[in-house]
Each structure stands twice: as C-alpha cells, then as structure tokens.
Amino acid sequence: MSNDHDHHDGNDAHELRVSKIRDGTVIDHVHGGQALNVLAILGIDGSNGEEVSVGMNVPSDRLARKDIVKVEGRELSQDEVDVLSLIAPDATINIVRDYDVVEKHRVERPDVVEGVLSCPNAGCITTGDEPVTSRFSVLEDGVRCSYCETIVRDEIAALIDT
Amino acid sequence: MRHDHLITSKQLSRGDIETVLDYAAEIDDDPSAVADRHAGTLLGLLFFEPSTRTKMSFETAMKRLGGDVVDMGSVESSSVTKGETLADTVRVIEGYTDALVLRHPKQGAATMASEFVDVPLVNAGDGAGHHPTQTMLDLYTIRENAGLDDLTIGIMGDLKYGRTVHSLAYALTNFDTRQHFISPESLQLPREVVYDLHQRQDGTGIKEHDSLEDVLPSLDVLYVTRIQRERFPDENEYQKVAGEYQIDGDTLEAASDDLTVMHPLPRVDEIAPEIDETDHAAYFEQAHNGVPVRMALLDLLLSDDKGIGGGTDE
C-alpha cells in the first residue's frame, strides 16, 4: 500500500508535491489553512530538525481544499490525536512504516481534553498560579472550560498551551 | 444523587431545591428545633472578596445551628499576600474545620477548590460565575410571594457580570417559568449562560429585552440588580442607561398589584425608597431569608443522614 493514499481524490499531481515518507505519520484531510495549527499542536516548529512536509490548500473531493502534513519518524499519541481533532475534525491519521500505510483511521473528538489548552478568560481560576491542569469539555462546535465555563468556538488553536 | 459540595445551582434538581426550601420553611417556623444540631461543628469562612450579608448570614446560620465559625479575616491580613495559592489555603483550613464557605474573585475558584478538599465546600460567589446559596434564598422568597410554577419573572440590570442572575436563571429552568432578561445591550447575559438556558429549557421561556416597559405588566416578580458604574469604560455611556433601569412609584403604575420586587442588595439607586413601604417590596425579607435557607443547606451538607439530593427527578 502506498502512502499516497488519496488517489480517490484524483489529486495525484498535487499529492506528489509533498514527498513520501518512510516512517511516521501522514495527517490528511485537514481543513484548508489549518496545517500550521496542526504543527503547533504537535509542538513542531522545525527547531529540532524534524523532517516535515506540508501541503496547503490542495484540491480535495471531500473538503474542496485541504491541508496535508507528513511527519517523518514520529507516530502520534492518542492525546495528540484528541487535540488535533478539535481543529481538524475530518482529519485522517495514517501511520506509515517502511513506506506502507499500516494504520489508517479518522480522528474522533474526545469528550474532554486536559492540559493542552489555556483558558482565554482572564478571570478564570486556571489563569493564575494555582496547581491546576486546564480541562475543557468538547462541544459539537467548540470547547468549554470546565472551571469558568467559557465557551470557545473559534480560534481554538490559539489556546494551545505550547 | 447526593452532593458533597455546593458549587453551582446547575447541579440542583427540582427535588433538591424543594428539599432545601421545605426544610428552610421548617426551620423558619421553629428555629429552636435545630438549635443544637451542630454543637461543636466549625465552619471555615474564606472570603477573598469583601462581603457583608453573605458572610454574616453564614455566620449567623452556623451559630443558630449550635456551631461556630473561624474566619481567615481580610485578604490583606492573610497568607494570600505571601503568595499562597487557593489550593494550599483550602487544604490547610480543611484540617481545622468541618466545612468551608468560599468567596473568590476568580470564576471557577469553587470548582477548583472542591477538587482539593474532602470536607463539604460551599460556593459563596466565584467572580462572575455562580452564587448558589443566594439563589436558594431567592427561590425561597419567590415561592413565598408568588409560587415557583406558572411564574413570569423579569430579571433586570447587570446581567453580564451578575452571578446571582446566572445562578437564579439556571435554577428557575427546573420550574414552569417564563424568564424575561432586561438590560442595556452591553450588559446582556453572557452567551454561555444563554446557551445553557436554551439547553435546559428549549429556549421558549427565555426572552431578552432592553426595556422594561413592554414586559412589566405581565410580571409576577421583578428581580433588580445594580447597574455597576465601574463596568462602563465611559461615564456618559453609564449615564445614558442608568436612569432607564431604576424603579420608582411611577414605574410600577403599569405593574400588577401583585408584583413582587426583589434585589440581592446592596442597592444604590435602582429602587427608590418609596417602594420600600409598598406591598411590592420583598428585598429585606429576601435578605432575612438567607439565615433559615443557609441553616437548612448547612445542616443538609453536614449531616450524614441528610445530604442535598436523593430526589427522584435527577
């Protein structure tokens, strides 16, 4: 099986702009424009020499325009996938080993994410120096702080506690 | 469901509320019957914000149950000034006391604090969040004056930052109520609260207005809160709206003779003194009800054989 797995989108030419990886993760069907936020969630800024390929706003049958992120030498943890699901609810995670896709699954939105987002409400107890881990429940269209109950629908990526 | 802490009115079912209100009415009728129920019990009062009525009514309630209170004093004289976290403070004071009452300027403070202690913790106000014991005395007062079903209530003033408003609105969704929220646009209910109210009561009983005029004749209860001058960045903006949200004799000419006017107090100029002597005024009675209601709540939280909850509708 090839890791150029989106043949049914009919965008081979576009896909080929992004190189194949040998071992790692391909995050596909990310909504157009969210790829850099995906990298932020994964804590990837290039400073550690990670080998990463990014395609942005490539045509897709399913999403019209999609982003795709390929990370060499790294398989995502479930926690990372959970947070990823908040900004890329339609993403597909492909685990690649020796150029073959050995696992492929859609992200699933968790009920709760802990310790990964910061509450934007300056009046929230979690924004002080308390020994508390942030906790957000996941709504259909956003996230909600479990402490102050603030709902965030847009710009969730900006809350990522990096 | 039995609750060990009282953090928000959202956690209370209709059965829970009726249990508290019925028990508060029993205590109101005969306070001497519970005078020694909690002899030797100590309640810790942790008020990180100034408070007069809430703090004194908890203190009175505990003493009328035979118990006593310890008080951390003002924030300025406490270890908070040394940088101690709230989490540490509550963990220390729970070792001294049998229950804690917490007021704090940050939203979610009571939720967080409850995660660090085993003794019952009561939220006495967390920033712009919740104030569930105020809600219980509000409901008690409403039930005494107008009943809690087939009720049309107007809630007016600073609905954005008013934690008493948020808590009351949530609790009222347990009953057959129509809620009219009246405020300047800049002080409307937070969208989170509106979202919750629609989730809890399909939205049909929830309406927002910028003027009292249209809804006043239909109201059984008008709950007034202070328009807080300090919330307005521009004094002129405050002056534009402040006068529209004040109640006097002329205002109430359009109201039902049975209208009950409430206010969590303190008031500044939202309700003219001329209303005080009319049958409409219930705000001092409302404040007095804080003692029997908090006696009932404390007894339910502190007694192994009671607890809040156990109702069948949750």
Side-chain angles (χ1 to χ4, degrees):
Chain A
M1 190 187 296
S2 161
N3 68 320
D4 277 337
H5 39 76
D6 206 15
H7 293 292
H8 48 272
D9 272 1
N11 298 315
D12 293 11
H14 298 286
E15 292 295 321
L16 289 172
R17 292 178 192 165
V18 181
S19 64
K20 289 182 178 181
I21 62 174
R22 177 176 182 145
D23 297 296
T25 305
V26 176
I27 306 155
D28 199 0
H29 299 109
V30 175
H31 284 223
Q34 291 292 329
L36 296 181
N37 289 328
V38 168
L39 292 175
I41 285 174
L42 301 179
I44 295 172
D45 61 6
S47 63
N48 293 321
E50 307 94 337
E51 194 176 317
V52 179
S53 306
V54 176
M56 297 182 76
N57 292 314
V58 298
S60 162
D61 285 348
R62 181 138 66 90
L63 300 178
R65 292 281 171 179
K66 68 173 184 178
D67 289 358
I68 183 167
V69 177
K70 301 187 179 189
V71 185
E72 183 73 50
R74 177 160 164 189
E75 296 184 9
L76 301 190
S77 69
Q78 189 58 48
D79 281 352
E80 288 173 321
V81 174
D82 282 350
V83 183
L84 202 63
S85 71
L86 303 180
I87 63 160
D90 296 308
T92 316
I93 306 293
N94 302 274
I95 304 297
V96 181
R97 292 179 192 147
D98 200 19
Y99 296 108
D100 278 340
V101 175
V102 296
E103 281 180 40
K104 179 171 184 167
H105 55 89
R106 296 275 290 272
V107 298
E108 287 183 23
R109 290 163 70 80
D111 294 331
V112 173
V113 289
E114 289 192 67
V116 291
L117 302 175
S118 295
C119 185
N121 175 11
C124 177
I125 191 70
T126 62
T127 62
D129 295 324
E130 299 295 334
V132 61
T133 302
S134 73
R135 187 168 67 238
F136 287 77
S137 54
V138 178
L139 310 175
E140 276 185 23
D141 58 347
V143 294
R144 180 171 216 176
C145 176
S146 301
Y147 291 92
C148 74
E149 304 182 0
T150 295
I151 294 174
V152 183
R153 292 195 169 83
D154 302 315
E155 304 296 331
I156 293 171
L159 307 182
I160 294 165
D161 195 6
T162 51
Chain B
M1 181 179 172
R2 185 188 169 97
H3 304 298
D4 295 323
H5 306 294
L6 179 56
I7 306 299
T8 159
S9 62
K10 282 188 198 178
Q11 75 188 73
L12 300 172
S13 66
R14 180 180 178 126
D16 292 335
I17 292 167
E18 287 176 338
T19 296
V20 175
L21 301 193
D22 290 348
Y23 190 36
E26 275 181 45
I27 292 172
D28 217 356
D29 283 346
D30 184 11
S32 64
V34 292
D36 296 319
R37 265 194 71 80
H38 290 284
T41 300
L42 265 183
L43 180 66
L45 301 179
L46 305 176
F47 279 68
F48 289 78
E49 274 185 341
S51 166
T52 304
R53 281 158 306 282
T54 303
K55 189 174 175 183
M56 286 187 71
S57 75
F58 268 111
E59 188 168 354
T60 306
M62 193 69 246
K63 289 181 173 176
R64 289 202 180 280
L65 289 168
D68 209 339
V69 299
V70 289
D71 181 345
M72 76 173 198
S74 67
V75 170
E76 291 74 22
S77 65
S78 75
S79 54
V80 175
T81 55
K82 299 174 187 169
E84 185 177 55
T85 62
L86 173 62
D88 279 1
T89 303
V90 295
R91 278 183 286 192
V92 170
I93 308 303
E94 86 159 322
Y96 304 161
T97 60
D98 302 290
L100 297 171
V101 176
L102 174 68
R103 170 167 291 186
H104 198 277
K106 291 271 193 177
Q107 274 173 268
T111 301
M112 188 211 74
S114 71
E115 294 174 356
F116 288 90
V117 297
D118 292 323
V119 299
L121 184 143
V122 178
N123 182 6
D126 60 333
H130 299 276
H131 195 354
T133 65
Q134 175 71 42
T135 290
M136 298 305 278
L137 71 90
D138 290 343
L139 294 174
Y140 186 84
T141 310
I142 293 170
R143 191 170 80 165
E144 297 273 291
N145 283 275
L148 280 169
D149 281 313
D150 192 20
L151 175 77
T152 302
I153 181 169
I155 303 179
M156 184 171 83
D158 178 358
L159 310 183
K160 183 174 183 178
Y161 299 102
R163 56 193 169 204
T164 62
V165 168
H166 308 160
S167 282
L168 178 61
Y170 290 135
L172 285 170
T173 60
N174 285 299
F175 300 90
D176 174 17
T177 56
R178 294 163 294 281
Q179 299 191 58
H180 296 277
F181 296 97
I182 306 131
S183 72
E185 189 177 353
S186 59
L187 294 175
Q188 284 179 339
L189 282 175
R191 294 303 95 184
E192 282 84 3
V193 176
V194 174
Y195 171 89
D196 286 337
L197 294 177
H198 282 255
Q199 294 279 315
R200 291 170 72 94
Q201 200 186 43
D202 78 19
T204 55
I206 311 294
K207 291 197 166 52
E208 296 181 86
H209 312 267
D210 61 10
S211 165
L212 175 63
E213 198 175 308
D214 294 340
V215 294
L216 180 61
S218 69
L219 300 182
D220 302 305
V221 173
L222 176 59
Y223 190 99
V224 184
T225 66
R226 186 165 66 94
I227 299 270
Q228 299 171 85
R229 180 178 298 209
E230 64 272 22
R231 303 293 187 196
F232 288 80
D234 181 342
E235 175 70 15
N236 289 333
E237 291 301 308
Y238 168 74
Q239 293 298 343
K240 276 185 205 166
V241 300
E244 293 182 34
Y245 298 90
Q246 291 169 348
I247 303 299
D248 58 20
D250 289 342
T251 315
L252 294 192
E253 279 185 9
S256 155
D257 290 343
D258 296 329
L259 175 73
T260 298
V261 176
M262 298 173 63
H263 192 301
L265 303 180
R267 67 171 157 172
V268 180
D269 55 5
E270 306 82 61
I271 301 174
E274 68 195 57
I275 306 298
D276 297 359
E277 303 307 320
T278 71
D279 291 339
H280 296 301
Y283 26 92
F284 293 115
E285 168 196 347
Q286 184 185 354
H288 296 160
N289 287 336
V291 173
V293 168
R294 290 187 170 111
M295 287 172 75
L297 280 165
L298 289 172
D299 188 26
L300 292 164
L301 284 165
L302 285 163
S303 301
D304 291 338
D305 59 335
K306 292 179 183 285
I308 298 173
T312 55
D313 57 342
E314 186 175 76

